[in-house]
Amino acid sequence: MYDFAYTKPASLADAVHALGGADAKALAGGQTLIPVLKLRLNRPAIVVDLAGLGLSGIKVTGGTVTIGATTTHATVAASLDVQRAFPALACLAAGIGDIQVRNRGTLGGSLANNDPAADYPAVALASDATIRTNKRAIAAGDFFQGLFTTALEPDEIITEVAFQAPQRAAYTKFRNPASRYAMVGVFVAKGGQGVRVAVTGAGQNGVFRHTAFEQALERAWAPESLDGISTPADDLNSDIHGSAEYRGHLIGVIAKRAVAAS
Amino acid sequence: MPQVSLTVNGKRETVEVEGRTLLVELLREKLGLTGTHVGCDTSQCGACVVLVDGQSAKSCTMLALQADGASITTVEGLAAADGTLHPMQAMFREHHALQCGFCTPGMVMSAIDLVQSHPEGLTEAQIRHGLEGNLCRCTGYHNIVKAIAAAQKLMHHQQQAQAAE
Ligand SMILES: Cc1cc2nc3c(=O)[nH]c(=O)nc-3n(C[C@H](O)[C@H](O)[C@H](O)COP(=O)(O)OP(=O)(O)OC[C@H]3O[C@@H](n4cnc5c(N)ncnc54)[C@H](O)[C@@H]3O)c2cc1C
Ligand code: FES
Ligand code: FES
């Protein structure tokens, strides 16, 4: 790892200021950034630790679950409030990585990183989440912009995320047993805005909404509704773990399981 | 150079580090606590797991500076001053839960966090699931799971006895 300066600001304003400098990088749980720095894929001059900003916490008001950016996956998974208001979200958080990753990794870090196989992007997209930053509020549909790419500007910090709890929802993940990331993960939700089906792990451009599945489930919320609807392999990922065709098939299987579990 | 102040196994330490110094490097190279191992250095194997304020964390995936003000427990901090092993260590020995021993410190630390965060008790399936962040190339895990099942009973008894005192 190349060396860098480290700072841990105590206020959001100071953190934004520090991130405005040349080659600055935010650090939350470090469960992605530190491995990336070890691989020398990134060379920040200064690392700005967000742990001192007081951005952790969970609030449930009506059907909205608002979670602070530096809240760990373990905290979300264990929260009785989240389990009650939006059980599929707690369940998703409980399935990220392993205990040690969940003890340190954060919601904001996961969304900002937008790994094409990460779990949180799926729930954000499927529950019409709003991602709040020091500058603005961004709808999940506008936030994710392709592989490891988001709407965030370099000095923009996610402060909290508001999820709309659907009436019915489930997340089913087909994990790569070695990395524990999703080979395919499907989040299905039926809420005030209608039906949402978000797919992670499979798309060449990261998380996406499966509109053909959404229309079918809008007509009838049942696994059988998805019979006969195939997913074209064109925009899907091929790697050593599975071909695009394999992932396309898996999306249908996993989506049905998710609907059945909802 | 920046300084980090933390408590390691009950002892206050202040150490000069670089920004890039990992917690595991601080423990092994600056403090000589080589019980914490580095197996992969890619956040996969769990040989480097320590407790940070009571929660298990991969010390190869944490900057030393992130641990400023924290209380760290490593495998060296488990046994009593007279050498009496922690129940988890004792049960690992009793149940032959190690062969080469390389993964063992991380396994023991993860297992302690797992038991402590489940006062209601863990099923075998929960123990296996809870060890996802720890790889062992020797034992096939079976005896590790047995050791943790046995240790959780001892730890819960100990806790109840302490609460009764
Ligand atoms: C072994 C292992 C297994 C994993 N398995 C999974 C898995 O199954 N599913 C999954 O989804 N993830 C998985 N992860 C990734 C994990 O969830 C990470 O914690 C997460 O992707 C990044 O969160 P972090 O808090 O660690 O962020 P960091 O690593 O600290 O930061 C990641 C990026 O986000 C930026 N950032 C962080 N916080 C903010 C913020 N508030 N505002 C703006 N930018 C910010 C940083 O600058 C950096 O670019 C795994 C990781 C490991 C090591
Ligand atoms: S050395 Fe830290 S996870 Fe392998
Ligand atoms: S005992 Fe050898 S790696 Fe686990």
Side-chain angles (χ1 to χ4, degrees), chain B residues 75-136:
Chain B
V75 71
E76 289 94 340
L78 294 179
D82 68 357
T84 307
L85 294 180
H86 184 284
M88 192 61 77
Q89 293 172 302
M91 291 302 100
F92 264 62
R93 185 168 72 176
E94 174 84 13
H95 292 274
H96 299 283
L98 57 145
Q99 289 178 22
C100 80
F102 193 85
C103 70
T104 312
M107 284 285 179
V108 166
M109 301 317 288
S110 291
I112 289 172
D113 181 18
L114 190 61
V115 169
Q116 282 175 346
S117 53
H118 289 85
E120 75 287 2
L122 291 149
T123 62
E124 185 192 321
Q126 283 175 307
I127 295 173
R128 288 184 186 276
H129 195 59
L131 293 179
E132 273 163 350
N134 294 81
L135 301 180
C136 175

Side-chain angles (χ1 to χ4, degrees), chain A residues 188 190 195-197 212-223 225-226 255 259:
Chain A
V188 297
K190 187 181 180 189
V195 170
R196 296 279 185 273
V197 177
F213 282 8
E214 289 180 357
Q215 283 156 12
L217 290 170
E218 201 77 71
R219 286 192 288 276
W221 184 264
S225 302
L226 303 181
V259 176

Side-chain angles (χ1 to χ4, degrees), chain B residues 1 3 16 36 41 43 51 74 93 96 108 112 122 131 133-134 137-138 148:
Chain B
M1 261 209 270
Q3 278 195 339
E16 281 199 343
T36 302
D41 205 23
S43 317
L51 302 184
T74 71
R93 185 168 72 176
H96 299 283
V108 166
I112 289 172
L122 291 149
L131 293 179
N134 294 81
R137 299 289 78 173
C138 302
I148 297 171

Side-chain angles (χ1 to χ4, degrees), chain B residues 19-112:
Chain B
R20 64 176 163 181
T21 305
L22 300 170
L23 177 59
V24 71
E25 293 169 339
L26 167 81
L27 295 170
R28 289 178 56 87
E29 292 163 27
K30 307 257 179 187
L31 300 179
L33 295 169
T34 53
T36 302
H37 292 168
V38 177
C40 64
D41 205 23
T42 56
S43 317
Q44 307 282 331
C45 76
C48 64
V49 170
V50 300
L51 302 184
V52 179
D53 293 327
Q55 284 197 323
S56 58
K58 292 174 180 168
S59 63
C60 78
T61 315
M62 210 177 142
L63 302 177
L65 286 162
Q66 285 179 287
D68 192 53
S71 175
I72 310 291
T73 309
T74 71
V75 71
E76 289 94 340
L78 294 179
D82 68 357
T84 307
L85 294 180
H86 184 284
M88 192 61 77
Q89 293 172 302
M91 291 302 100
F92 264 62
R93 185 168 72 176
E94 174 84 13
H95 292 274
H96 299 283
L98 57 145
Q99 289 178 22
C100 80
F102 193 85
C103 70
T104 312
M107 284 285 179
V108 166
M109 301 317 288
S110 291
I112 289 172

Side-chain angles (χ1 to χ4, degrees), chain A residues 153-176:
Chain A
E153 289 161 20
D155 63 343
E156 195 166 10
I157 296 174
I158 301 177
T159 53
E160 61 178 24
V161 182
F163 299 90
Q164 303 309 322
Q167 283 122 32
R168 296 182 75 164
Y171 180 62
T172 301
K173 173 178 176 181
F174 190 85
R175 318 170 109 193
N176 177 322

